Amino acid sequence: MNPDMENKYLRRIYEHMLEGIIVMKESREIVMINPAAVRMTGWKVGGHVDYCSYCKTRELKEGEPTCYLIANKEVPTFLSEMPTYHGKTIDVEMSTAAIYMNEDTGGTEYLLVLRNHELHKRAREAAINKKMIRALIEAKEEEHKRLAHELHDGVGQSLFSVSVALQAIESFVHDNKQLNEYIVEVRKELQKVMDDINSYSHRLRPHSLDQLGLEPTIRHLIELIHKQVPGIDIELTTEGIDRSDPAVEINLYRITQEALHNVIKYAKATKVDINLLRDKTHIYLTIKDNGIGFARDKIQNEGLGLKHMEERVDQLGGTCKILSEIGRGTSIDIVIPRWRPEI
């Protein structure tokens, strides 16, 4: 690469890099400053670099420079608060290096690199929040799984034993019409309770999800909805779907469950199309309805369900687009990596 081209590239890097770059004299007068440093501090060429909060208050040895980084050249980076032109302070990570002796003045000039630590703190906080949300979702699903198991295998089996006992009692009192009718009524009520227990257990955590996978579980959910709401047509088409990471399966199931709940409760739709596709790299879930639609910025409590969908997709490292228009229905488009990312 010829020198002119090399200088051109270096100039572009200098102007577009996110770190602030400042060249200053020993007097701290600014000789050069890149756009990132200007945005951070508001300083300009000819101005002076103020001392950070630590350097202003630290105890100095005799003859020691006020600047901690210049006094301790072996320190690669240093975290402190830097006063800015605007009268505020910003948390920055700083490093410095002596670059050359100025031929005119004979003084050393210093390269000062500033990294906005606020951005790093926000990124770390976002990562921590993401981990917390993931832990909460997983803990909630684990608790649902435990409760569903208790309802199905504990309470459900106990009620079934009671039902069998009633059948046995009924065989001994067939001559007592009044008592027999009463037992029949009790058995009917008991069956309703058993059906409710099975329904609650399924809502908490469908057993078919762990045993058979995502597609059969969604199909069973659609069958239940058709029985409860016969006026709505729900079509599921799939391609390439087999067993996936349990976290992927439960989150996609919950998203589908929430979407269908919203369709039934709010959308007044007559048709819903669900497409579930898996290729070599991604899983795609699309849910479209022909309902009344909505304006996202005007819903409040109902919007929590949509927010929870987006949080679940975010935990899987995917993208979620929720598009709706008044009178033209709603479309939910989800794309997630085939393998669950480690966060």
Side-chain angles (χ1 to χ4, degrees):
M1 184 182 295
N2 64 57
D4 289 341
M5 185 63 71
E6 185 174 344
N7 288 335
K8 188 175 181 180
Y9 275 114
L10 290 174
R11 170 59 65 174
R12 287 182 179 175
I13 293 170
Y14 169 79
E15 290 179 349
H16 291 92
M17 65 190 308
L18 296 178
E19 288 83 1
I21 302 294
I22 297 173
V23 177
M24 64 180 183
K25 298 179 181 179
E26 285 186 278
S27 64
R28 304 186 74 81
E29 181 185 347
I30 298 172
V31 178
M32 293 178 62
I33 183 167
N34 76 338
V38 173
R39 288 193 296 271
M40 270 190 254
T41 65
W43 298 332
K44 296 180 181 178
V45 171
H48 286 76
V49 176
D50 201 350
Y51 290 104
C52 71
S53 57
Y54 177 77
C55 291
K56 285 181 176 180
T57 57
R58 75 188 187 97
E59 293 185 8
L60 301 177
K61 298 176 183 178
E62 186 176 350
E64 183 183 20
T66 304
C67 179
Y68 179 77
L69 282 171
I70 293 176
N72 297 270
K73 295 182 174 60
E74 73 277 7
V75 179
T77 60
F78 177 66
L79 185 63
S80 186
E81 291 183 338
M82 178 66 79
T84 69
Y85 180 84
H86 310 291
K88 299 180 180 179
T89 59
I90 57 172
D91 289 333
V92 291
E93 183 181 275
M94 297 176 284
S95 61
T96 190
I99 49 177
Y100 61 83
M101 297 290 292
N102 187 298
E103 295 177 359
D104 296 329
T105 65
T108 303
E109 292 183 348
Y110 293 91
L111 173 69
L112 180 64
V113 180
L114 304 177
R115 297 176 185 87
N116 191 333
H117 199 66
E118 289 291 335
L119 299 178
H120 294 286
K121 286 201 298 185
R122 288 179 202 151
R124 281 202 304 271
E125 289 171 359
I128 292 170
N129 288 339
K130 192 171 183 178
K131 286 184 178 181
M132 289 178 61
I133 292 171
R134 174 182 170 181
L136 287 171
I137 290 175
E138 290 179 348
K140 181 180 178 182
E141 292 299 341
E142 192 62 32
E143 182 66 6
H144 282 180
K145 187 176 182 178
R146 185 188 67 80
L147 289 173
H149 184 271
E150 285 293 326
L151 284 173
H152 185 270
D153 295 344
V155 179
Q157 291 301 320
S158 296
L159 291 174
F160 179 75
S161 298
V162 173
S163 177
V164 172
L166 281 174
Q167 283 182 308
I169 294 172
E170 190 177 13
S171 66
F172 288 104
V173 296
H174 58 275
D175 293 333
N176 189 327
K177 183 178 179 181
Q178 184 176 1
L179 182 57
N180 193 55
E181 289 177 351
Y182 176 71
I183 291 175
V184 170
E185 290 300 318
V186 171
R187 284 183 61 197
K188 286 181 180 179
E189 191 63 31
L190 182 61
Q191 187 59 51
K192 286 172 62 178
V193 174
M194 291 172 67
D195 291 341
D196 286 342
I197 291 293
N198 285 331
S199 176
Y200 297 147
S201 174
H202 184 83
R203 290 178 190 175
L204 283 169
R205 174 86 177 201
H207 292 278
S208 59
L209 191 64
D210 298 313
Q211 297 167 358
L212 303 175
L214 182 60
E215 180 181 349
T217 305
I218 292 179
R219 291 196 183 279
H220 182 60
L221 175 63
I222 292 171
E223 289 174 7
L224 292 177
I225 292 174
H226 279 155
K227 291 177 182 179
Q228 298 169 359
V229 191
I232 187 169
D233 179 25
I234 305 174
E235 294 289 338
L236 172 65
T237 58
T238 64
E239 183 178 340
I241 298 298
D242 54 14
R243 296 312 303 263
S244 298
D245 185 299
V248 172
E249 291 185 338
I250 187 60
N251 279 291
L252 289 182
Y253 174 76
R254 293 298 187 205
I255 289 167
T256 304
Q257 188 180 40
E258 179 66 32
L260 292 177
H261 168 78
N262 290 341
V263 167
I264 294 167
K265 190 171 182 180
Y266 306 111
K268 300 180 181 179
T270 58
K271 184 169 178 56
V272 182
D273 291 311
I274 303 174
N275 295 296
L276 190 57
L277 167 67
R278 176 174 177 167
D279 62 18
K280 292 181 179 180
T281 59
H282 291 82
I283 299 176
Y284 307 85
L285 173 63
T286 302
I287 305 171
K288 295 182 180 179
D289 69 66
N290 66 346
I292 61 175
F294 62 89
R296 181 82 184 263
D297 58 343
K298 294 183 179 179
I299 59 175
Q300 295 179 357
N301 294 335
E302 297 89 341
L304 291 176
L306 303 179
K307 184 66 176 175
H308 292 161
M309 286 186 202
E310 293 170 334
E311 287 176 349
R312 287 180 180 274
V313 174
D314 184 58
Q315 294 305 307
L316 298 174
T319 60
C320 177
K321 294 182 180 179
I322 301 174
L323 304 175
S324 188
E325 188 176 339
I326 300 296
R328 303 192 67 177
T330 300
S331 173
I332 301 171
D333 295 298
I334 293 166
V335 181
I336 64 168
R338 182 166 176 171
W339 303 109
R340 182 185 179 196
E342 288 298 326
I343 300 173

